[in-house]
Amino acid sequence: MTIQDLGSIGELIAAIATVVTLAYLALQIRQNTISTRAATLQTVIHFSVGFVESQYRDHELALLPPVSR
C-alpha cells in the first residue's frame, strides 16, 4: 500500500464522517425546532389562560361587552 492509497482511504473516511455529521446536525435542528414550537405554544396557552382567568376574577371586567371587528 502506497502513501497515495492511504491518503485516498483517509479522504473516503473523512467524506463519510462529514455526511454522518451533517445528518446528525439535521436531526438536532429538527428536534430543536419541535421543542421551540412546543415551548412557544405553552407560553401562548399560559398567557391566554391568565387573561381568561382575570375576566372570571374581576366581575366588572367580565361585564364588558366583547370587542367587534
Side-chain angles (χ1 to χ4, degrees):
M1 220 176 217
T2 66
I3 196 92
Q4 287 181 338
D5 293 337
L6 292 174
S8 296
I9 293 172
E11 285 183 15
L12 178 64
I13 292 171
I16 292 171
T18 301
V19 171
V20 169
T21 300
L22 289 175
Y24 174 75
L25 288 175
L27 288 173
Q28 290 296 314
I29 290 172
R30 184 174 182 177
Q31 288 177 351
N32 184 43
T33 301
I34 291 169
S35 175
T36 302
R37 286 181 180 168
T40 302
L41 180 61
Q42 183 178 7
T43 302
V44 168
I45 290 171
H46 175 74
F47 284 119
S48 297
V49 167
F51 177 72
V52 171
E53 182 183 9
S54 68
Q55 288 181 338
Y56 283 109
R57 288 184 185 266
D58 187 357
H59 182 69
E60 291 180 13
L61 184 61
L63 295 176
L64 289 176
V67 177
S68 60
R69 291 184 181 195

